[in-house]
């Protein structure tokens, strides 16, 4: 039976009030001290329980004791009543300290070690079997402040769900509590650690070696990747750091991939006359840093020092050396080190497997893996990741299915493999399976799933992950913050994406690039430029993705001169050589503006061979501006590069037909048929109630097709009354006008919009994802529909977002004639990070159930 209660504690004057709130309703009891204010006299604790469907309470008084050592009464909760423990007796796991109007509670195990602590403004109560003892903890508060306390069952893991509060370290127990507290650093946040550090600074503990405290603090801050603060602790606390302090610092830097500081402090240790001699733990961190930086000469020098100080035979050092040489590409040296090992453990074999995987020799890695007597979870996960990186997902899945047991890392390897290979639906499906197994995802899991959500346009699932991050108290680190902001940006929620960006404690060039690109895709060019200027002010150097975002903004806004300015700035100001994607974006920018000759000159002057995408950008401009001679030349050039490029065949066939060169047009279509060239079908997705539905043009397979087409007919009638005229010239088949209008009315995005209208409540925003660019007719129709139904409709196509509202679109109708379906090209102005995977499922209806919340264990709430 699930038994979740919420307790509210209010400390005010000499009284304490506790309120129990459950499915029956709230009930409150108040206990008052005999005197005016605590802690000079007795204090009262109140306990609640449930009996026969009713809440009840009881008041127990504590004998007088000298403050601030008053022990409070422990409160517990049970199914059929309550259990009270007199806090004045010696009790394991309970110590209540009262001072002023705030309470400090520290919990101990029977062996006097610290049970669990936390400084957040939430309280966890751990239930024990039998009596279901509860351990309430109250935060430091001012008079009249009310704090919320939440209870969870014992079945919930302590690390993720039991949160305790330590309000203050008092002088009488300062040394003991600090020492115990630092043994539970995994339960603390950075804010808590700063509070502890401030206590240690203002109230030093003479009885404890500063090196011990420094080692604890360094390890704690390393957990939050706060490497800058590590050095401050090292220098502030320690006048003569010992080997443990040096090793803790180097390990912290290495764990957080701060390779430069690892080597810097190691050199400082070697050069300082008072520094301790390096040992095997020192070298494992330094070797990892050399491998991370791929500094072969430094790595070989460290190897010499390893031999000099007699650490070469150490198992950990030998494993680190082998791993380093694998990353240097010196497979033979690494294999020799492995062969010369007198003793090997599972880490040694894992190093060999991972090394061959890193070197691209997956077959050899598999041979070693199959020969291992003992395989750890790391062994399995390494092989799964290796096959996934090669795109061999079937083999990766076979290994995953054959695992005797799995942990979060194993699931992460498989989920990331699907996401990295653009199998986003499978990644989400595997995430659901992981949840059904009762495993709690970590930040690595969520980064992969958020990437899948971004590409699928699965906003509801992305929002659920956002809520889960907040509920579980996860730190919004750099990678998780970037993934969350990217998801919102690619789902058209650029305002929320900016809020996530602003809440991130740490930002890198990827963070800024995500926002710049998101603003560009959503039609906010000026804001994208402002964001770029702020990025430069913060001292960050832009990268290739940053400039792709800027060029995208210029392309969508028609800012040719601004775009050329940014393009020239790349190499001149930042030393970034433009890649073919940047050239393609500029060609697209010039072609949209009608500067076809300049666009062609740029293609011919490119330092690399232009691809189909670059020529396709120019072909679109030729079609828009009716430059038939140039268009024919460009189309033939594209077919030389890709003989199966459907867009070029269709363009040439239509061009010849318009010029009454019917034989040439027929020849183009025959060549298409002979080569088996088919046009990519237009497809649109819409998410309704955690389910993604897929629609193709004229599709009748959806269970609600009758209602969908009825809505289509209703919309056509209302749009005609509003002045809508279908652009039948876009239909190039030899059929009459009415049939052309019918063909236009059943484009995939219109079917998706109609389904959204009949499936959601009035006023709900409709979000569509399309695998091709939106055609002119659908664009004009969607503007009118947004005004008729009084809804916002957001469409993400190959190129950008279109926000339709009140009869207007965020793209301002810029150069829509450039967006015909039959060109079938990836918009070169679209950064790779915003590409949409084509799911390849040729039917309407349910294709992916994203209702993960229904399968989530209750313990996550």
């Amino acid at each position: 039976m699930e038994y979740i209660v919420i307790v509210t504690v209010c400390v005010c004057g000499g009284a304490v009030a506790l309120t129990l709130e459950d499915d029956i309703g709230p009930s409150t009891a108040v206990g008052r001290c005999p005197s005016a204010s605590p802690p000079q006299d007795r204090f009262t604790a109140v306990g609640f329980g449930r009996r026969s469907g009713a809440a009840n309470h009881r008041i127990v008084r504590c004998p007088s004791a000298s403050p601030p050592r008053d022990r409070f009464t422990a409160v517990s909760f049970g199914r059929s009543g309550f259990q009270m423990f007199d806090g004045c007796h010696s009790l394991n796991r309970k110590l209540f300290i009262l001072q002023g109007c705030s309470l400090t509670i520290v919990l101990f195990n029977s062996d006097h070690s610290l049970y669990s602590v936390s400084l957040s403004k939430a309280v966890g109560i751990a239930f024990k079997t039998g009596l279901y003892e509860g351990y309430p903890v109250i935060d430091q508060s001012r008079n009249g402040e009310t704090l919320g306390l939440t209870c969870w069952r014992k079945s919930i893991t302590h690390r993720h769900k039991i949160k305790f509060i330590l309000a203050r370290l008092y002088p009488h127990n300062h040394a003991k509590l600090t020492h115990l507290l630092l043994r539970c650093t995994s339960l603390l946040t950075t804010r808590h650690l700063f509070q502890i550090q401030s206590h240690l600074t203002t109230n030093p503990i003479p009885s404890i070696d500063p090196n011990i405290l420094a080692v604890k603090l360094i390890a704690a801050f390393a957990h939050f990747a706060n490497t800058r603060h590590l050095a401050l602790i090292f220098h502030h606390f320690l006048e003569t750091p010992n080997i443990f302090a040096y090793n803790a610092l180097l390990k912290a830097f290495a764990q957080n991939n701060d390779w430069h500081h690892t080597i810097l402090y190691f050199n400082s240790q070697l050069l300082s006359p008072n520094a301790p001699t390096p040992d095997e733990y020192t070298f494992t961190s330094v070797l990892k840093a050399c491998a991370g930086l791929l500094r072969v000469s430094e790595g070989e020098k460290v190897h010499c020092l390893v031999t000099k100080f007699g650490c070469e035979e150490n198992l950990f050092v030998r494993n680190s050396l082998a791993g380093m040489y694998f990353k240097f590409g010196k497979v033979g040296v690494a294999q020799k080190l492995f062969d010369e090992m007198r003793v090997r453990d599972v880490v040694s074999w894992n190093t060999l497997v991972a090394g061959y995987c890193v070197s691209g020799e997956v077959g050899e890695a598999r041979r070693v893996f199959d020969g291992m007597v003992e395989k750890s979870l790391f062994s399995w996960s390494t092989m799964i990741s290796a096959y996934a990186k090669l795109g061999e997902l079937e083999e990766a899945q076979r290994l995953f299915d054959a695992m005797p047991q799995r942990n979060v890392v194993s699931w992460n390897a498989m989920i990331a493999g699907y996401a990295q290979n653009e199998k986003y639906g499978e990644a989400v499906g595997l995430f659901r399976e992981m949840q059904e197994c009762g495993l709690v995802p970590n930040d690595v899991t969520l980064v992969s799933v958020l990437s899948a959500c971004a590409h699928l346009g699965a906003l509801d699932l992305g929002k659920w992950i956002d809520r889960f991050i907040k509920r579980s108290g996860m730190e919004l680190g750099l990678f998780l913050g970037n993934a969350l902001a990217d998801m919102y940006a690619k789902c058209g929620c650029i305002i929320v994406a900016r809020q996530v960006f602003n809440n991130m404690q740490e930002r890198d060039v990827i963070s800024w690039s995500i926002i710049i690109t998101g603003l560009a895709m959503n039609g906010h060019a000026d804001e994208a430029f402002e964001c770029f200027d702020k990025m430069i002010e913060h001292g960050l150097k832009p990268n290739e993705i940053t400039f792709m975002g800027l060029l995208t903004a210029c392309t969508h806004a028609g800012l040719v001169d601004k775009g050329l300015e940014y393009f020239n700035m790349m190499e001149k100001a930042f030393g970034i050589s433009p890649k073919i994607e940047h050239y393609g974006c500029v060609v697209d920018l010039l072609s949209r503006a009608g500067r076809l000759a300049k666009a062609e000159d740029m293609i011919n002057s490119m330092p690399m061979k232009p691809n189909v995408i670059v020529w396709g950008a120019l072909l679109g401009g030729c079609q828009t501006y009716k430059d038939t001679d140039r268009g024919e030349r460009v189309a033939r050039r594209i077919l030389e590069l890709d003989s199966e490029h459907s867009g070029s065949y269709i363009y040439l066939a239509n061009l010849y037909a318009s010029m009454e060169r019917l034989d040439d047009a027929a020849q183009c279509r025959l060549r298409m048929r002979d080569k088996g060239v088919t046009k990519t079908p237009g497809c649109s997705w819409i998410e309704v109630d955690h389910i993604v539905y897929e629609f193709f043009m004229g599709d009748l397979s959806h269970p609600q097709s009758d209602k969908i087409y009825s809505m289509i007919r209703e919309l056509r009638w209302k749009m005609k009354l509003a002045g809508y005229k279908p652009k039948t010239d876009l239909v190039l088949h030899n059929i009459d006008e009415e049939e052309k209008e019918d063909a236009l009315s059943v484009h995939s995005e219109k079917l998706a919009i109609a389904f959204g209208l009949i499936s959601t409540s009035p006023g709900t925003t409709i979000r569509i994802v399309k695998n091709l660019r939106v055609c002119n007719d659908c664009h004009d129709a969607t503007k009118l529909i947004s005004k008729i139904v009084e809804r916002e409709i957001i469409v993400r196509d190959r190129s950008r977002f279109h926000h339709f509202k009140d009869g207007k679109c965020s793209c301002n109708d810029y150069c829509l004639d450039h967006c015909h379906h039959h060109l079938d090209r990836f918009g070169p102005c679209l950064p790779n990070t915003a590409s949409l995977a084509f799911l390849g499922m040729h039917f309407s209806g349910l294709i992916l159930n994203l209702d993960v919340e229904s399968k989530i264990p209750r313990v996550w709430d």
Side-chain angles (χ1 to χ4, degrees), residues 248-269:
L249 183 66
L250 296 178
K251 180 182 178 181
F253 282 136
Q255 283 180 339
N256 287 283
N257 300 339
D258 193 344
W259 318 124
H260 292 283
H261 278 95
T262 307
I263 294 176
L264 178 67
Y265 276 87
F266 176 66
N267 289 333
S268 173
Q269 179 182 359

Side-chain angles (χ1 to χ4, degrees), residues 732-752:
L732 301 173
H733 297 287
N734 189 20
I735 54 179
D736 59 36
E737 287 297 305
E738 186 175 351
E739 288 178 309
K740 289 182 178 182
E741 290 183 15
D742 291 339
L744 289 172
S745 68
V746 292
H747 275 192
S748 63
E749 54 264 58
K750 288 175 182 169
L751 294 176

